[in-house]
Amino acid sequence: MRIGIVGTGGMAEALAGRWARAGHDVLVGGRDEGRAAALADRIGARAGDPRRAAWHGVDAVLLAVPYGAATGVVSALAGVLDGRTLIDCTNPVAPGFLLETAGGPSAAERVAAAAPGARVVKAFNLCHRSVWHLDPPVFGGRPLAVPLCGDDAQALETVRSLVRDLGCGPFDGGGLERADLLEATAAFLIGLWVGEGVDAQAIAPPMEHSGSHA
């Protein structure tokens, strides 16, 4: 696939690096083109500015910038992103591990509104960048699961394929209207992991003990 990466931070490096090693044609774009070039050199990709990354990402574009900059960046690229699968991995987490988007819309829905022609999928926001450097991310013999929220069937299938390229399993989390739940889950888990220093995975029982919540 041709994948554009908008951003040059830790998430951009981790995911872009794994996809480049999987054989995809990756171009990293950042406002600081020198930093983008250095990152591209480290991971075996090409480099440019955000517009070139969006143009390059015929199959998928990863939005890997801080949430506070996300809608501004996407709005500036809106025309180029028309028809593109746009993966939003941002987390709108405020001090105190609360959501900056409390009351809605979600970060993903705001990104979609900023680029109405893009096909937005929320994914990859539950884990620290260090997890995505693992090849593969397998814990206790179980591959990491990656929940996805989106409305476009083709975009979701593209992202499922990219999840599998990381050695992970894609889970259907519902439409983009459920992205707020995924973002709230991230805020809650980060609060437990970072704020309390506890193993957040221990809060969920195994499937056979989950019961019915219908």
Side-chain angles (χ1 to χ4, degrees):
M1 295 187 197
R2 282 179 50 155
I3 304 171
I5 309 293
V6 177
T8 56
M11 286 292 288
E13 180 167 5
L15 290 169
R18 293 291 309 282
W19 288 329
R21 290 194 295 277
H24 295 296
D25 181 359
V26 176
L27 190 148
V28 177
R31 288 180 298 178
D32 183 335
E33 292 192 46
R35 183 172 176 177
L39 171 55
D41 186 61
R42 288 197 301 274
I43 66 174
R46 289 186 278 168
D49 61 16
R51 181 165 292 271
R52 188 177 174 203
W55 176 85
H56 179 82
V58 172
D59 297 294
V61 176
L62 174 71
L63 178 65
V65 300
Y67 168 68
T71 55
V73 169
V74 168
S75 180
L77 300 173
V80 187
L81 290 168
D82 281 355
R84 298 288 200 260
T85 294
L86 179 61
I87 307 168
D88 171 26
C89 69
T90 67
N91 272 322
V93 180
F97 308 107
L98 301 173
L99 284 178
E100 293 184 43
T101 54
S106 67
E109 289 172 310
R110 296 177 194 214
V111 165
R119 301 179 296 177
V120 176
V121 176
K122 188 79 187 188
F124 304 111
N125 69 306
L126 292 185
C127 297
H128 187 267
R129 62 182 178 270
S130 60
V131 171
W132 305 118
H133 282 288
L134 300 176
D135 189 9
V138 174
F139 304 95
R142 183 174 62 182
L144 182 70
V146 181
L148 316 177
C149 289
D151 296 330
D152 186 278
Q154 183 178 349
L156 285 164
E157 188 53 44
T158 294
V159 181
R160 288 187 195 105
S161 179
L162 292 174
V163 168
R164 295 185 187 103
D165 285 339
L166 302 177
C168 301
F171 280 11
D172 181 9
L176 202 64
E177 74 276 3
R178 289 174 58 85
D180 59 340
L181 301 177
L182 187 50
E183 293 165 4
T185 299
F188 190 76
L189 291 177
I190 292 168
L192 292 175
W193 286 322
V194 178
E196 300 297 326
V198 300
D199 180 4
Q201 192 176 38
I203 68 177
M207 183 67 180
E208 61 267 26
H209 297 287
S210 63
S212 173
H213 298 276

Short mmCIF file of all heavy atoms in Angstrom, two decimals, residues 135-206:
data_model
loop_
_atom_site.label_atom_id
_atom_site.label_comp_id
_atom_site.label_asym_id
_atom_site.label_seq_id
_atom_site.Cartn_x
_atom_site.Cartn_y
_atom_site.Cartn_z
N ASP A 135 7.59 -6.47 17.88
CA ASP A 135 7.38 -7.19 16.61
C ASP A 135 7.35 -8.70 16.86
O ASP A 135 8.39 -9.35 16.82
CB ASP A 135 8.49 -6.82 15.63
CG ASP A 135 8.24 -7.34 14.23
OD1 ASP A 135 7.11 -7.82 13.98
OD2 ASP A 135 9.16 -7.27 13.39
N PRO A 136 6.14 -9.24 17.08
CA PRO A 136 4.82 -8.58 17.14
C PRO A 136 4.43 -8.26 18.58
O PRO A 136 5.05 -8.78 19.51
CB PRO A 136 3.88 -9.64 16.55
CG PRO A 136 4.51 -10.94 17.02
CD PRO A 136 6.00 -10.72 17.04
N PRO A 137 3.39 -7.47 18.79
CA PRO A 137 2.90 -7.21 20.14
C PRO A 137 2.05 -8.37 20.64
O PRO A 137 0.84 -8.43 20.41
CB PRO A 137 2.05 -5.94 20.00
CG PRO A 137 2.29 -5.43 18.60
CD PRO A 137 2.69 -6.63 17.80
N VAL A 138 2.68 -9.33 21.28
CA VAL A 138 2.00 -10.51 21.80
C VAL A 138 2.26 -10.57 23.30
O VAL A 138 3.41 -10.45 23.74
CB VAL A 138 2.51 -11.80 21.12
CG1 VAL A 138 1.90 -13.04 21.76
CG2 VAL A 138 2.17 -11.77 19.63
N PHE A 139 1.19 -10.74 24.08
CA PHE A 139 1.31 -10.73 25.53
C PHE A 139 0.66 -11.99 26.08
O PHE A 139 -0.52 -12.24 25.85
CB PHE A 139 0.64 -9.48 26.10
CG PHE A 139 1.19 -8.20 25.53
CD1 PHE A 139 0.57 -7.58 24.46
CD2 PHE A 139 2.35 -7.64 26.05
CE1 PHE A 139 1.09 -6.41 23.92
CE2 PHE A 139 2.88 -6.48 25.52
CZ PHE A 139 2.25 -5.86 24.45
N GLY A 140 1.45 -12.80 26.81
CA GLY A 140 0.93 -14.04 27.34
C GLY A 140 0.45 -14.99 26.26
O GLY A 140 -0.51 -15.73 26.46
N GLY A 141 1.10 -14.94 25.09
CA GLY A 141 0.72 -15.79 23.98
C GLY A 141 -0.47 -15.28 23.18
O GLY A 141 -0.88 -15.93 22.22
N ARG A 142 -1.01 -14.13 23.55
CA ARG A 142 -2.20 -13.60 22.87
C ARG A 142 -1.83 -12.33 22.11
O ARG A 142 -1.37 -11.36 22.72
CB ARG A 142 -3.29 -13.30 23.90
CG ARG A 142 -4.60 -12.82 23.26
CD ARG A 142 -5.69 -12.70 24.31
NE ARG A 142 -5.35 -11.72 25.34
CZ ARG A 142 -6.11 -11.44 26.38
NH1 ARG A 142 -7.25 -12.09 26.56
NH2 ARG A 142 -5.74 -10.54 27.26
N PRO A 143 -2.03 -12.30 20.79
CA PRO A 143 -1.75 -11.08 20.03
C PRO A 143 -2.62 -9.92 20.51
O PRO A 143 -3.77 -10.12 20.90
CB PRO A 143 -2.10 -11.46 18.59
CG PRO A 143 -2.01 -12.95 18.55
CD PRO A 143 -2.45 -13.41 19.91
N LEU A 144 -2.07 -8.75 20.49
CA LEU A 144 -2.80 -7.55 20.87
C LEU A 144 -3.99 -7.34 19.94
O LEU A 144 -3.89 -7.53 18.73
CB LEU A 144 -1.89 -6.33 20.80
CG LEU A 144 -2.48 -4.99 21.21
CD1 LEU A 144 -2.72 -4.95 22.71
CD2 LEU A 144 -1.55 -3.85 20.79
N ALA A 145 -5.13 -6.96 20.50
CA ALA A 145 -6.32 -6.63 19.71
C ALA A 145 -6.41 -5.13 19.54
O ALA A 145 -6.10 -4.37 20.46
CB ALA A 145 -7.57 -7.17 20.40
N VAL A 146 -6.82 -4.70 18.36
CA VAL A 146 -6.94 -3.27 18.04
C VAL A 146 -8.38 -2.97 17.63
O VAL A 146 -8.82 -3.37 16.56
CB VAL A 146 -5.98 -2.87 16.90
CG1 VAL A 146 -6.10 -1.38 16.60
CG2 VAL A 146 -4.54 -3.22 17.27
N PRO A 147 -9.13 -2.26 18.48
CA PRO A 147 -10.50 -1.91 18.11
C PRO A 147 -10.53 -0.77 17.09
O PRO A 147 -9.71 0.16 17.15
CB PRO A 147 -11.14 -1.48 19.43
CG PRO A 147 -10.00 -1.07 20.30
CD PRO A 147 -8.80 -1.85 19.85
N LEU A 148 -11.47 -0.85 16.16
CA LEU A 148 -11.62 0.15 15.10
C LEU A 148 -13.04 0.70 15.14
O LEU A 148 -14.00 -0.05 15.31
CB LEU A 148 -11.39 -0.46 13.71
CG LEU A 148 -10.22 -1.42 13.51
CD1 LEU A 148 -10.24 -1.94 12.08
CD2 LEU A 148 -8.91 -0.72 13.80
N CYS A 149 -13.17 2.01 14.93
CA CYS A 149 -14.48 2.63 14.77
C CYS A 149 -14.48 3.41 13.46
O CYS A 149 -13.60 4.24 13.23
CB CYS A 149 -14.78 3.59 15.93
SG CYS A 149 -15.10 2.78 17.51
N GLY A 150 -15.46 3.16 12.62
CA GLY A 150 -15.56 3.86 11.35
C GLY A 150 -16.84 3.52 10.64
O GLY A 150 -17.51 2.53 10.98
N ASP A 151 -17.17 4.31 9.62
CA ASP A 151 -18.42 4.13 8.89
C ASP A 151 -18.25 3.58 7.49
O ASP A 151 -19.23 3.12 6.88
CB ASP A 151 -19.16 5.48 8.79
CG ASP A 151 -19.57 6.03 10.15
OD1 ASP A 151 -19.83 5.21 11.05
OD2 ASP A 151 -19.61 7.27 10.29
N ASP A 152 -17.04 3.63 6.95
CA ASP A 152 -16.81 3.23 5.57
C ASP A 152 -16.24 1.82 5.52
O ASP A 152 -15.16 1.56 6.07
CB ASP A 152 -15.86 4.22 4.88
CG ASP A 152 -15.71 3.94 3.41
OD1 ASP A 152 -14.91 3.06 3.04
OD2 ASP A 152 -16.39 4.61 2.60
N ALA A 153 -16.94 0.90 4.86
CA ALA A 153 -16.54 -0.51 4.84
C ALA A 153 -15.16 -0.71 4.22
O ALA A 153 -14.34 -1.48 4.72
CB ALA A 153 -17.58 -1.34 4.10
N GLN A 154 -14.89 -0.01 3.13
CA GLN A 154 -13.60 -0.19 2.45
C GLN A 154 -12.46 0.35 3.31
O GLN A 154 -11.39 -0.27 3.42
CB GLN A 154 -13.60 0.51 1.10
CG GLN A 154 -12.32 0.30 0.30
CD GLN A 154 -12.36 0.97 -1.06
OE1 GLN A 154 -13.41 1.41 -1.52
NE2 GLN A 154 -11.22 1.04 -1.72
N ALA A 155 -12.68 1.51 3.94
CA ALA A 155 -11.65 2.08 4.81
C ALA A 155 -11.37 1.16 5.99
O ALA A 155 -10.22 0.94 6.38
CB ALA A 155 -12.09 3.45 5.31
N LEU A 156 -12.43 0.59 6.57
CA LEU A 156 -12.25 -0.33 7.69
C LEU A 156 -11.45 -1.56 7.26
O LEU A 156 -10.58 -2.03 8.01
CB LEU A 156 -13.60 -0.74 8.25
CG LEU A 156 -14.32 0.32 9.09
CD1 LEU A 156 -15.79 -0.05 9.27
CD2 LEU A 156 -13.64 0.49 10.45
N GLU A 157 -11.71 -2.08 6.08
CA GLU A 157 -10.98 -3.26 5.61
C GLU A 157 -9.50 -2.92 5.39
O GLU A 157 -8.61 -3.73 5.69
CB GLU A 157 -11.60 -3.80 4.33
CG GLU A 157 -11.02 -5.14 3.90
CD GLU A 157 -11.04 -6.19 5.01
OE1 GLU A 157 -12.06 -6.31 5.72
OE2 GLU A 157 -10.01 -6.89 5.17
N THR A 158 -9.23 -1.72 4.90
CA THR A 158 -7.84 -1.28 4.73
C THR A 158 -7.12 -1.25 6.07
O THR A 158 -5.99 -1.74 6.21
CB THR A 158 -7.79 0.12 4.09
OG1 THR A 158 -8.31 0.04 2.76
CG2 THR A 158 -6.37 0.66 4.04
N VAL A 159 -7.77 -0.68 7.08
CA VAL A 159 -7.13 -0.56 8.39
C VAL A 159 -7.00 -1.93 9.04
O VAL A 159 -6.00 -2.22 9.71
CB VAL A 159 -7.89 0.43 9.28
CG1 VAL A 159 -7.22 0.55 10.64
CG2 VAL A 159 -7.96 1.81 8.62
N ARG A 160 -7.98 -2.81 8.84
CA ARG A 160 -7.84 -4.18 9.36
C ARG A 160 -6.58 -4.83 8.81
O ARG A 160 -5.84 -5.52 9.53
CB ARG A 160 -9.06 -5.02 8.97
CG ARG A 160 -10.34 -4.68 9.72
CD ARG A 160 -11.44 -5.68 9.40
NE ARG A 160 -12.74 -5.18 9.83
CZ ARG A 160 -13.67 -4.70 9.03
NH1 ARG A 160 -13.47 -4.67 7.71
NH2 ARG A 160 -14.81 -4.24 9.51
N SER A 161 -6.32 -4.65 7.52
CA SER A 161 -5.13 -5.22 6.89
C SER A 161 -3.86 -4.65 7.52
O SER A 161 -2.90 -5.39 7.79
CB SER A 161 -5.16 -4.96 5.39
OG SER A 161 -4.01 -5.47 4.76
N LEU A 162 -3.85 -3.35 7.78
CA LEU A 162 -2.68 -2.72 8.40
C LEU A 162 -2.49 -3.19 9.84
O LEU A 162 -1.36 -3.31 10.31
CB LEU A 162 -2.82 -1.20 8.33
CG LEU A 162 -2.75 -0.60 6.92
CD1 LEU A 162 -3.04 0.90 6.96
CD2 LEU A 162 -1.37 -0.86 6.31
N VAL A 163 -3.58 -3.45 10.53
CA VAL A 163 -3.50 -4.01 11.89
C VAL A 163 -2.85 -5.39 11.84
O VAL A 163 -1.94 -5.70 12.63
CB VAL A 163 -4.90 -4.09 12.54
CG1 VAL A 163 -4.87 -4.94 13.80
CG2 VAL A 163 -5.44 -2.70 12.84
N ARG A 164 -3.29 -6.21 10.91
CA ARG A 164 -2.73 -7.56 10.79
C ARG A 164 -1.25 -7.51 10.43
O ARG A 164 -0.47 -8.39 10.84
CB ARG A 164 -3.50 -8.36 9.74
CG ARG A 164 -4.96 -8.62 10.14
CD ARG A 164 -5.65 -9.53 9.13
NE ARG A 164 -7.08 -9.65 9.41
CZ ARG A 164 -8.03 -9.02 8.73
NH1 ARG A 164 -7.72 -8.25 7.67
NH2 ARG A 164 -9.31 -9.16 9.07
N ASP A 165 -0.83 -6.50 9.65
CA ASP A 165 0.59 -6.36 9.30
C ASP A 165 1.45 -6.13 10.53
O ASP A 165 2.67 -6.38 10.49
CB ASP A 165 0.79 -5.19 8.33
CG ASP A 165 0.35 -5.53 6.92
OD1 ASP A 165 0.27 -6.73 6.58
OD2 ASP A 165 0.07 -4.60 6.15
N LEU A 166 0.86 -5.67 11.62
CA LEU A 166 1.59 -5.45 12.87
C LEU A 166 1.60 -6.70 13.74
O LEU A 166 2.18 -6.69 14.83
CB LEU A 166 0.96 -4.30 13.66
CG LEU A 166 0.88 -2.94 12.96
CD1 LEU A 166 0.16 -1.94 13.85
CD2 LEU A 166 2.27 -2.44 12.61
N GLY A 167 0.94 -7.77 13.29
CA GLY A 167 0.83 -8.97 14.09
C GLY A 167 -0.28 -8.89 15.11
O GLY A 167 -0.30 -9.66 16.08
N CYS A 168 -1.23 -7.97 14.91
CA CYS A 168 -2.34 -7.76 15.84
C CYS A 168 -3.65 -8.23 15.21
O CYS A 168 -3.71 -8.52 14.01
CB CYS A 168 -2.45 -6.28 16.20
SG CYS A 168 -0.97 -5.60 16.98
N GLY A 169 -4.69 -8.26 16.03
CA GLY A 169 -6.01 -8.65 15.54
C GLY A 169 -6.96 -7.48 15.56
O GLY A 169 -7.11 -6.83 16.60
N PRO A 170 -7.62 -7.15 14.45
CA PRO A 170 -8.58 -6.04 14.42
C PRO A 170 -9.92 -6.45 15.03
O PRO A 170 -10.41 -7.56 14.78
CB PRO A 170 -8.71 -5.74 12.93
CG PRO A 170 -8.43 -7.04 12.25
CD PRO A 170 -7.43 -7.76 13.12
N PHE A 171 -10.50 -5.58 15.83
CA PHE A 171 -11.83 -5.79 16.41
C PHE A 171 -12.76 -4.69 15.91
O PHE A 171 -12.36 -3.53 15.85
CB PHE A 171 -11.78 -5.72 17.94
CG PHE A 171 -11.28 -6.96 18.62
CD1 PHE A 171 -10.71 -8.00 17.92
CD2 PHE A 171 -11.39 -7.09 20.00
CE1 PHE A 171 -10.25 -9.15 18.55
CE2 PHE A 171 -10.94 -8.23 20.64
CZ PHE A 171 -10.37 -9.26 19.93
N ASP A 172 -13.98 -5.06 15.58
CA ASP A 172 -14.98 -4.09 15.14
C ASP A 172 -15.58 -3.39 16.35
O ASP A 172 -16.23 -4.01 17.19
CB ASP A 172 -16.08 -4.82 14.36
CG ASP A 172 -17.15 -3.87 13.83
OD1 ASP A 172 -16.96 -2.64 13.93
OD2 ASP A 172 -18.18 -4.35 13.34
N GLY A 173 -15.35 -2.08 16.44
CA GLY A 173 -15.88 -1.30 17.56
C GLY A 173 -17.13 -0.52 17.22
O GLY A 173 -17.63 0.23 18.05
N GLY A 174 -17.64 -0.67 15.98
CA GLY A 174 -18.84 0.05 15.57
C GLY A 174 -18.53 1.26 14.73
O GLY A 174 -17.40 1.47 14.29
N GLY A 175 -19.57 2.07 14.51
CA GLY A 175 -19.42 3.24 13.66
C GLY A 175 -18.65 4.36 14.33
O GLY A 175 -18.28 4.28 15.51
N LEU A 176 -18.41 5.43 13.57
CA LEU A 176 -17.61 6.53 14.08
C LEU A 176 -18.30 7.21 15.27
O LEU A 176 -17.63 7.84 16.10
CB LEU A 176 -17.35 7.56 12.97
CG LEU A 176 -16.12 8.46 13.19
CD1 LEU A 176 -14.84 7.64 13.20
CD2 LEU A 176 -16.05 9.54 12.11
N GLU A 177 -19.63 7.06 15.38
CA GLU A 177 -20.34 7.65 16.51
C GLU A 177 -19.93 7.00 17.83
O GLU A 177 -20.20 7.54 18.91
CB GLU A 177 -21.85 7.56 16.32
CG GLU A 177 -22.45 6.17 16.52
CD GLU A 177 -22.37 5.28 15.29
OE1 GLU A 177 -21.79 5.73 14.27
OE2 GLU A 177 -22.91 4.16 15.33
N ARG A 178 -19.26 5.84 17.76
CA ARG A 178 -18.78 5.17 18.97
C ARG A 178 -17.33 5.49 19.29
O ARG A 178 -16.77 4.97 20.27
CB ARG A 178 -18.97 3.66 18.83
CG ARG A 178 -20.43 3.23 18.90
CD ARG A 178 -20.60 1.75 18.60
NE ARG A 178 -19.83 0.89 19.49
CZ ARG A 178 -20.26 0.48 20.69
NH1 ARG A 178 -21.45 0.87 21.13
NH2 ARG A 178 -19.52 -0.32 21.43
N ALA A 179 -16.71 6.34 18.50
CA ALA A 179 -15.31 6.70 18.75
C ALA A 179 -15.14 7.40 20.09
O ALA A 179 -14.08 7.31 20.71
CB ALA A 179 -14.78 7.59 17.62
N ASP A 180 -16.19 8.09 20.54
CA ASP A 180 -16.07 8.74 21.85
C ASP A 180 -15.88 7.72 22.96
O ASP A 180 -15.16 7.97 23.94
CB ASP A 180 -17.30 9.62 22.13
CG ASP A 180 -18.62 8.86 22.13
OD1 ASP A 180 -18.67 7.75 21.57
OD2 ASP A 180 -19.60 9.39 22.68
N LEU A 181 -16.49 6.53 22.82
CA LEU A 181 -16.29 5.48 23.81
C LEU A 181 -14.86 4.95 23.78
O LEU A 181 -14.26 4.69 24.83
CB LEU A 181 -17.27 4.33 23.54
CG LEU A 181 -18.75 4.69 23.59
CD1 LEU A 181 -19.60 3.46 23.25
CD2 LEU A 181 -19.13 5.23 24.96
N LEU A 182 -14.31 4.83 22.58
CA LEU A 182 -12.93 4.35 22.44
C LEU A 182 -11.96 5.38 23.02
O LEU A 182 -10.98 5.03 23.70
CB LEU A 182 -12.64 4.09 20.96
CG LEU A 182 -11.32 3.43 20.59
CD1 LEU A 182 -11.04 2.19 21.42
CD2 LEU A 182 -11.31 3.09 19.10
N GLU A 183 -12.22 6.65 22.78
CA GLU A 183 -11.36 7.70 23.31
C GLU A 183 -11.47 7.81 24.83
O GLU A 183 -10.47 8.02 25.54
CB GLU A 183 -11.70 9.03 22.65
CG GLU A 183 -11.34 9.05 21.17
CD GLU A 183 -11.98 10.20 20.38
OE1 GLU A 183 -12.65 11.04 21.00
OE2 GLU A 183 -11.79 10.22 19.15
N ALA A 184 -12.69 7.62 25.35
CA ALA A 184 -12.88 7.63 26.81
C ALA A 184 -12.19 6.43 27.45
O ALA A 184 -11.63 6.55 28.55
CB ALA A 184 -14.38 7.62 27.14
N THR A 185 -12.21 5.29 26.76
CA THR A 185 -11.50 4.12 27.26
C THR A 185 -10.01 4.39 27.38
O THR A 185 -9.37 4.03 28.37
CB THR A 185 -11.74 2.91 26.33
OG1 THR A 185 -13.14 2.62 26.29
CG2 THR A 185 -10.98 1.69 26.80
N ALA A 186 -9.45 5.07 26.38
CA ALA A 186 -8.03 5.42 26.43
C ALA A 186 -7.73 6.32 27.61
O ALA A 186 -6.76 6.10 28.35
CB ALA A 186 -7.62 6.10 25.12
N ALA A 187 -8.55 7.34 27.82
CA ALA A 187 -8.34 8.25 28.94
C ALA A 187 -8.40 7.51 30.27
O ALA A 187 -7.59 7.74 31.18
CB ALA A 187 -9.36 9.38 28.90
N PHE A 188 -9.37 6.61 30.40
CA PHE A 188 -9.53 5.86 31.64
C PHE A 188 -8.34 4.93 31.87
O PHE A 188 -7.79 4.86 32.98
CB PHE A 188 -10.84 5.05 31.59
CG PHE A 188 -11.22 4.44 32.90
CD1 PHE A 188 -11.75 5.21 33.92
CD2 PHE A 188 -11.04 3.09 33.12
CE1 PHE A 188 -12.09 4.65 35.14
CE2 PHE A 188 -11.38 2.51 34.34
CZ PHE A 188 -11.91 3.30 35.35
N LEU A 189 -7.92 4.21 30.83
CA LEU A 189 -6.80 3.29 30.97
C LEU A 189 -5.51 4.03 31.26
O LEU A 189 -4.71 3.60 32.10
CB LEU A 189 -6.65 2.45 29.69
CG LEU A 189 -7.76 1.42 29.42
CD1 LEU A 189 -7.51 0.72 28.09
CD2 LEU A 189 -7.85 0.41 30.54
N ILE A 190 -5.28 5.14 30.57
CA ILE A 190 -4.07 5.93 30.83
C ILE A 190 -4.06 6.41 32.28
O ILE A 190 -3.02 6.43 32.95
CB ILE A 190 -3.96 7.11 29.84
CG1 ILE A 190 -3.72 6.60 28.42
CG2 ILE A 190 -2.84 8.06 30.24
CD1 ILE A 190 -3.89 7.65 27.34
N GLY A 191 -5.23 6.80 32.78
CA GLY A 191 -5.33 7.22 34.16
C GLY A 191 -4.96 6.12 35.13
O GLY A 191 -4.33 6.36 36.17
N LEU A 192 -5.33 4.88 34.81
CA LEU A 192 -4.97 3.75 35.66
C LEU A 192 -3.48 3.41 35.53
O LEU A 192 -2.78 3.21 36.52
CB LEU A 192 -5.82 2.53 35.31
CG LEU A 192 -7.31 2.63 35.65
CD1 LEU A 192 -8.05 1.40 35.13
CD2 LEU A 192 -7.53 2.77 37.15
N TRP A 193 -3.02 3.32 34.28
CA TRP A 193 -1.62 2.95 34.06
C TRP A 193 -0.66 4.00 34.62
O TRP A 193 0.25 3.68 35.38
CB TRP A 193 -1.35 2.79 32.56
CG TRP A 193 -1.90 1.56 31.94
CD1 TRP A 193 -1.97 0.31 32.48
CD2 TRP A 193 -2.47 1.45 30.62
NE1 TRP A 193 -2.54 -0.56 31.59
CE2 TRP A 193 -2.85 0.10 30.44
CE3 TRP A 193 -2.68 2.36 29.58
CZ2 TRP A 193 -3.43 -0.36 29.27
CZ3 TRP A 193 -3.26 1.89 28.42
CH2 TRP A 193 -3.63 0.55 28.25
N VAL A 194 -0.87 5.24 34.22
CA VAL A 194 0.07 6.32 34.56
C VAL A 194 -0.27 6.94 35.91
O VAL A 194 0.62 7.17 36.74
CB VAL A 194 0.07 7.39 33.45
CG1 VAL A 194 1.00 8.54 33.82
CG2 VAL A 194 0.47 6.79 32.10
N GLY A 195 -1.56 7.23 36.11
CA GLY A 195 -1.95 7.92 37.33
C GLY A 195 -1.88 7.06 38.57
O GLY A 195 -1.47 7.51 39.65
N GLU A 196 -2.25 5.76 38.44
CA GLU A 196 -2.32 4.88 39.60
C GLU A 196 -1.23 3.81 39.61
O GLU A 196 -1.02 3.14 40.62
CB GLU A 196 -3.69 4.20 39.67
CG GLU A 196 -4.86 5.17 39.79
CD GLU A 196 -4.81 5.96 41.08
OE1 GLU A 196 -4.35 5.42 42.11
OE2 GLU A 196 -5.21 7.15 41.06
N GLY A 197 -0.59 3.62 38.45
CA GLY A 197 0.46 2.62 38.37
C GLY A 197 -0.03 1.20 38.55
O GLY A 197 0.64 0.36 39.17
N VAL A 198 -1.22 0.91 38.02
CA VAL A 198 -1.79 -0.42 38.17
C VAL A 198 -1.91 -1.11 36.81
O VAL A 198 -1.87 -0.47 35.76
CB VAL A 198 -3.19 -0.36 38.85
CG1 VAL A 198 -3.07 0.26 40.23
CG2 VAL A 198 -4.18 0.41 37.99
N ASP A 199 -2.08 -2.42 36.85
CA ASP A 199 -2.25 -3.21 35.63
C ASP A 199 -3.71 -3.11 35.20
O ASP A 199 -4.57 -3.84 35.70
CB ASP A 199 -1.87 -4.66 35.89
CG ASP A 199 -2.03 -5.54 34.65
OD1 ASP A 199 -2.37 -5.00 33.58
OD2 ASP A 199 -1.83 -6.76 34.77
N ALA A 200 -3.99 -2.21 34.29
CA ALA A 200 -5.38 -1.97 33.88
C ALA A 200 -6.00 -3.19 33.21
O ALA A 200 -7.22 -3.35 33.21
CB ALA A 200 -5.45 -0.76 32.95
N GLN A 201 -5.18 -4.05 32.64
CA GLN A 201 -5.72 -5.24 31.98
C GLN A 201 -6.45 -6.13 32.98
O GLN A 201 -7.37 -6.87 32.61
CB GLN A 201 -4.59 -6.03 31.32
CG GLN A 201 -5.07 -7.11 30.38
CD GLN A 201 -3.92 -7.80 29.68
OE1 GLN A 201 -2.87 -8.05 30.27
NE2 GLN A 201 -4.10 -8.12 28.41
N ALA A 202 -6.12 -6.01 34.25
CA ALA A 202 -6.73 -6.87 35.27
C ALA A 202 -8.18 -6.50 35.56
O ALA A 202 -8.87 -7.24 36.27
CB ALA A 202 -5.91 -6.79 36.56
N ILE A 203 -8.69 -5.39 35.02
CA ILE A 203 -10.07 -5.01 35.32
C ILE A 203 -11.08 -5.80 34.49
O ILE A 203 -12.28 -5.79 34.80
CB ILE A 203 -10.31 -3.50 35.09
CG1 ILE A 203 -10.22 -3.14 33.60
CG2 ILE A 203 -9.36 -2.66 35.93
CD1 ILE A 203 -10.52 -1.67 33.31
N ALA A 204 -10.64 -6.50 33.44
CA ALA A 204 -11.57 -7.22 32.56
C ALA A 204 -11.40 -8.72 32.76
O ALA A 204 -10.29 -9.25 32.64
CB ALA A 204 -11.30 -6.87 31.11
N PRO A 205 -12.48 -9.45 33.08
CA PRO A 205 -12.38 -10.90 33.24
C PRO A 205 -12.23 -11.58 31.88
O PRO A 205 -12.53 -11.00 30.85
CB PRO A 205 -13.72 -11.27 33.88
CG PRO A 205 -14.67 -10.23 33.36
CD PRO A 205 -13.86 -8.96 33.27
N PRO A 206 -11.76 -12.83 31.89
CA PRO A 206 -11.72 -13.58 30.63
C PRO A 206 -13.10 -13.70 30.01
O PRO A 206 -14.12 -13.58 30.71
CB PRO A 206 -11.18 -14.95 31.06
CG PRO A 206 -10.49 -14.71 32.35
CD PRO A 206 -11.24 -13.61 33.02
#
